[in-house]
Amino acid sequence: MSENRSRVTVHSKLTWVSSKPLGGKPHELSALDHAMALHTVHVIFYYRANPFERGLFDSDFSLSDLLCMYPPVMGRLARGDGGNWVVKCNDAGVRTLRASVGTTLDEWLRSADASEERDLTVWEDMPGDPIGCPALVFEGLMGTWLDELAIAMLGGRMGLSYVGSGAGAWIGRMDAVLGGRMDAVLVGRRGAVLVMLNEFEGGGLAIGLSCPHMLADPTCATLFFKSWTETNRGEPVCHPPIYHLPALNARRSLSTGINSIKYLETKSKSAESPSGKMATATFRLSHSIIKQCLAQIHDECPDATPFDLLAALFWIRIMRLKMPRHDQKHSLSICVDVRKPIHGPIPYGYFGNALHFSLLSMDAELLDTAGLGHVAGAVHRHVADLHEEELLSAMNWFESRKGENGQYAQPFMMYGPELTCISMEHMITPEGSTCESSMYEAAFRKGEEPVHMTYRIGNVEGEGLIMVMPSPEAGLARTVTVTLSEEQLAELCEDQAIMDLQPTMLLGGKM
Amino acid sequence: MAQILPLFTSSVKLKYVKLGYQYLVNHILTFLLIPIMLATALKILRLGPVEILNVLKSLRFDLVQILCSSFLVIFVATVYFMSKPRCIYLVDYACYKAPVTCRVPFATFMEHSRLNLKDNPKSVDFQMRILERSGLGEETCLPPAIHYIPPSPTMEAARGEAEDVIFGVIDSLLQKTNLNPKDIDILIVNCSLFSPTPSLSAMVVNKYKLRSNIKSYNLSGMGCSAGLISIDLARDLLQVHPNSNAVVVSTEIITPNYYQGKERAMLLPNCLFRMGGAAMLLSNKRRERRRAKYRLVHVVRTHKGGDDKAYRCVYEEEDPQGKVGINLSKDLMVIAADALKSNITTIGPLVLPASEQLLFLFTLIGRKIFNPKWKPYIPDFKQAFEHFCIHAGGRAVIDELQKNLQLSAEHVEASRMALHRFGNTSSSSLWYELSYIEAKGRMKKGDRVWQIAFGSGFKCNSAVWKCNRSIKAPTDGPWQDCIDRYPVHIPEIVKL
């Protein structure tokens, strides 16, 4: 399947269940959840010491106890009555895989690239109704005629994707590409959350968590993981999950947020843009460098956050790499999480999607010539102007697209087609709060914090993705993950402005 | 209205008639003796005390005669006491509680089934239908090796499960009874399908450093009724060895026997058998009488292996693909009913009160002599026992026995709830049921318990226990965290 041999070997697979039987009513998904149906979320935490050395069954029952609080995580996605997706809380459990990696942790962080990192989580493209997803994944355990058909179609664009966790769970819809040879549509129950434990040589563990974006966004996947570590340490869970927010379902007619609605409308109608081979690189920037840069742009933008700075910087550099078109506007899609630690209709613990996408446009010329400070200022103003009303009006818009029988409209690509920048600033603990929320506090045992964590969003199309995340080093340090086409990424890695920041390159592949 | 009234009055009359008859026949000796005693007492009172002394003086007693008669009395008493079988006490017992991580909800079981039997949707469907009607709940447990996809039943995993279950349950027993391992004189372990070398009893001797002159036995291959066979063996040994303790461990190790093929008749045990085990401490020491929970009254064993059909009805063999599994034949219930009848015929005279036995005798004579068409009289065992522990082999077994013995829902509640909470744990299921009755606080001093177990071969074994002291609802035990939720209503078919 991959040209170079993967260094990850899966050696066992089982299902982890909660300590008490749960069950209950199906968990309904909101309009925004349905909109994210085409994507998947993958989170990988890297640890230097392996807290599960003695094997899963011998260790504490922390995951079993934790799962009692998360019935949707234990359940399976299925179409409910009325055609919308619901999570059937049937206690089916979290599929857990164990794998071993052929190198040490440090070697991996230095030399692995994005496609190898994919092997650390179960990478399943789970679209809504098939619209022709470019990626094909199959587990190779099937050994049925479907495998042969799949192999025959590798390398081309087809509408076949592996959905779910077992036999009878392939959705195949052949476009005209294949002349309608196979029109069998076999839909089974689809898996929800999968966890993979990868052991490195010489100690070290990478825990990969993947789930459909419909069920959870990166923030709540991280909070679930954090709750697991808290339960393992015997501490109470900081942010217990909240499943239903009446505020999200209330329909209000708002005059604000017209821009977002226009943006969403354009997005829904945009044609699929063919994307070539994408590659990813991770830049770790230290606290002192960011502080220096912020000081430099202090005159133009006094309140800039590291996100503003880095989003602006990377946007400018990436735009310079593309064919400069001076007559057009360049756009940056900014994705912000709308959860607020205190107050606000969407609390931290909300389990579901609370992401807001908005568009920031600038003239190409202005982008080229204006300084970093100016662009950072624009980003800052844009982000500061976002309120939860905008998200609610976006929700209203999704609701309004419901069909007559109450079924939500077809989902479309939410990440893309233009360059998307995701902010994880909300995960930084504000000073003086009681609960640490930064993901780098997620230690299974005291003192063993993760050395690195990666987010990946599945099925991203378009120009690329920039993610600005916290770093293990506290303060203003940040880690920036950039996904671009291969050539552009190679050039970006040698870009002078970025090299001036003395980034530590991680997971850049064997470059 | 007029028609209902005669029926009602007639049924009421019949009930009182029956009650009166039972009282009369069961206490016939009392009824006969009391008038005689009264008459004698009256007669003695009529004679004055002086007259009594005169009568006594007239009897001339020689010294030799007195001595000989007293020796005779002592001799007879000694022979009587020596030949009386020793009392066997069940001091206490412990049941295994699996860790919650081994729990198997229905949805997980079905998903694994679909993944493991990818090419056989019919077999998957069959398993689903069995599971829906099985009477099991969502908290039954399978050993860790079976949780993997596909299951990884290595010998090491089987030994691991055996160690977890057996050591867990013996630790619990030692703690409950304050028994020193060095004081164990007899050790019997029964596990039907897993029989490694060295045996499981040797494993126990090794772990607990038992004495080198211990009498250890390992029974394998004897099916789900092996628990009562072990009790029978312990009883016989305790008759021979005075002042001894016997530890009996009953379990079934599931890891090596999980069927991995696709034959439907062989998939049935996968759906029903679950992890479990029990350990019992039996003793014939007099001083255990104070704290023992039960006294063993009878053990009755019936073996129908002489009949070919009964012999083959639970048969371990290879399927056409070479995978080993246990084949259950379709006439299992018929054979079980037959074996039960045989067992009842033997145990009836030992436990039934005289009234029931007379009725049965009269009906039998009547059928033989007068009219063969008379319905055979099924003795009412509810008069002989307060509690019933029916091996939780499956819902069908419990239903069948409930019908045959005419038991009420409350009598079979322990069996049904043990099946729901723990699944079919094979030979140890009787002890989970007994634990349920205790946990509900229903066990009083003097209550009689009937344990019935069926096993391959085909065997039907019964044990009768009498409660030695009132048992307060115990705070420990396998039911401690869930007894408040029971009894639950178990639907006919659970929707999966």
Side-chain angles (χ1 to χ4, degrees), chain A residues 52 56 96-99 195-199 205-208 228:
Chain A
F52 297 112
L56 283 172
T96 310
L97 280 77
R98 286 196 83 162
V195 168
M196 191 153 160
L197 300 173
N198 305 279
E199 282 149 15
L205 178 73
I207 303 185
W228 180 8

Side-chain angles (χ1 to χ4, degrees), chain A residues 104-407:
Chain A
T104 62
L105 177 63
D106 296 311
E107 176 65 26
W108 176 270
L109 286 176
R110 209 177 45 76
S111 68
D113 60 6
S115 62
E116 279 209 283
E117 226 189 354
R118 267 192 202 190
D119 294 336
L120 292 182
T121 65
V122 182
W123 192 258
E124 300 187 1
D125 282 328
M126 299 196 203
D129 289 340
I131 305 182
C133 325
L136 168 72
V137 174
F138 65 106
E139 281 191 53
L141 294 173
M142 308 279 253
T144 62
W145 64 271
L146 280 172
D147 271 357
E148 285 158 2
L149 184 59
I151 292 170
M153 294 189 301
L154 255 181
R157 283 213 47 205
M158 76 297 289
L160 184 71
S161 53
Y162 172 49
V163 173
S165 54
W170 287 78
I171 291 185
R173 179 182 133 187
M174 298 297 107
D175 305 321
V177 172
L178 288 162
R181 235 181 327 178
M182 179 178 102
D183 50 14
V185 177
L186 310 148
V187 183
R189 295 275 175 84
R190 299 156 40 141
V193 177
L194 298 110
V195 168
M196 191 153 160
L197 300 173
N198 305 279
E199 282 149 15
F200 289 95
E201 278 177 18
L205 178 73
I207 303 185
L209 180 80
S210 47
C211 62
H213 215 303
M214 261 207 281
L215 184 66
D217 61 8
T219 312
C220 64
T222 316
L223 284 177
F224 169 73
F225 195 85
K226 261 201 97 228
S227 309
W228 180 8
T229 58
E230 280 156 11
T231 319
N232 206 51
R233 292 200 302 265
E235 291 167 25
V237 170
C238 248
H239 299 284
I242 302 164
Y243 296 105
H244 292 289
L245 289 176
L248 274 185
N249 295 329
R251 304 189 64 134
R252 306 186 229 163
S253 57
L254 295 162
S255 53
T256 56
I258 306 241
N259 285 333
S260 335
I261 293 181
K262 264 206 221 143
Y263 171 49
L264 288 170
E265 274 182 8
T266 339
K267 231 212 265 268
S268 66
K269 298 194 189 82
S270 62
E272 298 133 16
S273 50
S275 36
K277 196 150 187 295
M278 306 286 261
T280 310
T282 309
F283 303 89
R284 186 165 281 175
L285 302 158
S286 66
H287 170 87
S288 43
I289 295 286
I290 305 259
K291 198 159 167 188
Q292 225 177 356
C293 294
L294 283 175
Q296 278 172 3
I297 62 166
H298 187 79
D299 310 321
E300 290 179 66
C301 184
D303 299 325
T305 62
F307 168 71
D308 303 326
L309 170 73
L310 293 168
L313 174 68
F314 278 89
W315 187 15
I316 296 173
R317 305 319 306 175
I318 293 173
M319 283 301 124
R320 291 244 171 96
L321 294 173
K322 302 192 194 269
M323 302 293 283
R325 289 189 291 257
H326 289 268
D327 49 334
Q328 284 193 355
K329 270 182 169 301
H330 280 301
S331 318
L332 181 72
S333 169
I334 297 186
C335 170
V336 170
D337 191 294
V338 201
R339 290 183 177 90
K340 294 273 191 300
I342 352 162
H343 315 303
I346 305 175
Y348 241 42
Y350 172 62
F351 193 85
N353 281 287
L355 295 171
H356 181 71
F357 291 86
S358 54
L359 198 66
L360 174 64
S361 299
M362 250 187 183
D363 279 329
E365 207 164 336
L366 195 58
L367 194 61
D368 224 8
T369 54
L372 180 60
H374 183 81
V375 183
V379 175
H380 181 82
R381 278 188 298 276
H382 183 90
V383 173
D385 284 341
L386 291 172
H387 312 288
E388 47 268 354
E389 277 85 21
E390 300 243 351
L391 177 74
L392 293 172
S393 57
M395 292 280 295
N396 278 350
W397 183 80
F398 281 115
E399 288 278 345
S400 65
R401 294 181 75 216
K402 265 185 179 169
E404 299 156 341
N405 50 356
Q407 193 172 357

Side-chain angles (χ1 to χ4, degrees), chain B residues 156-407:
Chain B
E156 198 186 328
R159 277 230 167 95
E161 185 196 340
E163 286 175 5
D164 283 341
V165 175
I166 295 179
F167 296 163
V169 94
I170 294 183
D171 284 339
S172 183
L173 180 70
L174 293 179
Q175 192 222 357
K176 270 182 167 186
T177 54
N178 276 331
L179 179 70
N180 186 342
K182 297 275 188 239
D183 288 337
I184 300 177
D185 304 295
I186 300 164
L187 173 70
I188 304 174
V189 178
N190 74 269
C191 169
S192 184
L193 291 166
F194 179 54
S195 183
T197 298
S199 63
L200 294 173
S201 59
M203 186 174 85
V204 173
V205 171
N206 170 260
K207 161 88 174 172
Y208 292 95
K209 310 283 184 268
L210 303 182
R211 296 200 315 256
S212 57
N213 64 346
I214 190 167
K215 303 213 166 350
S216 68
Y217 299 86
N218 192 70
L219 297 174
S220 70
M222 302 193 89
C224 303
S225 59
L228 293 182
I229 297 177
S230 310
I231 300 278
D232 186 43
L233 179 61
R235 180 185 66 158
D236 288 344
L237 287 167
L238 286 171
Q239 299 295 354
V240 176
H241 300 287
N243 244 2
S244 304
N245 283 327
V247 170
V248 176
V249 180
S250 290
T251 182
E252 187 57 68
I253 303 301
I254 305 204
T255 306
N257 308 303
Y258 203 72
Y259 177 59
Q260 312 229 36
K262 60 180 172 73
E263 291 297 314
R264 284 187 230 180
M266 298 187 179
L267 281 172
L268 192 62
N270 281 7
C271 300
L272 297 176
F273 278 89
R274 295 289 182 262
M275 230 170 137
M280 286 70 76
L281 173 62
L282 290 145
S283 178
N284 58 9
K285 294 186 183 178
R286 258 190 202 286
R287 65 162 186 271
E288 300 289 7
R289 202 167 155 208
R290 282 277 169 78
R291 64 169 181 154
K293 274 187 177 172
Y294 300 93
R295 187 169 64 82
L296 181 59
V297 182
H298 299 291
V299 177
V300 174
R301 292 168 57 175
T302 318
H303 204 307
K304 299 302 259 177
D307 174 39
D308 279 342
K309 252 178 47 170
Y311 172 65
R312 287 204 74 106
C313 84
V314 180
Y315 206 75
E316 187 183 13
E317 58 189 358
E318 281 183 1
D319 69 2
Q321 276 76 39
K323 299 238 175 19
V324 177
I326 300 170
N327 204 333
L328 300 173
S329 91
K330 289 188 196 48
D331 352 309
L332 184 60
M333 291 323 305
V334 171
I335 293 169
D338 197 35
L340 177 72
K341 218 168 29 157
S342 214
N343 194 290
I344 287 178
T345 318
T346 318
I347 204 175
L350 293 173
V351 296
L352 285 170
S355 51
E356 295 295 316
Q357 299 202 35
L358 267 178
L359 270 176
F360 182 71
L361 187 66
F362 288 149
T363 330
L364 192 67
I365 293 174
R367 287 188 71 210
K368 284 269 153 58
I369 298 179
F370 297 120
N371 185 355
K373 285 222 186 89
W374 276 6
K375 268 193 342 190
Y377 178 70
I378 302 172
D380 186 9
F381 280 91
K382 298 197 280 290
Q383 292 192 24
F385 301 106
E386 278 73 36
H387 306 288
F388 296 81
C389 292
I390 301 168
H391 167 55
R395 202 184 194 148
V397 172
I398 303 177
D399 289 341
E400 185 71 29
L401 257 78
Q402 186 181 11
K403 197 179 67 174
N404 281 346
L405 297 174
Q406 294 168 343
L407 300 174

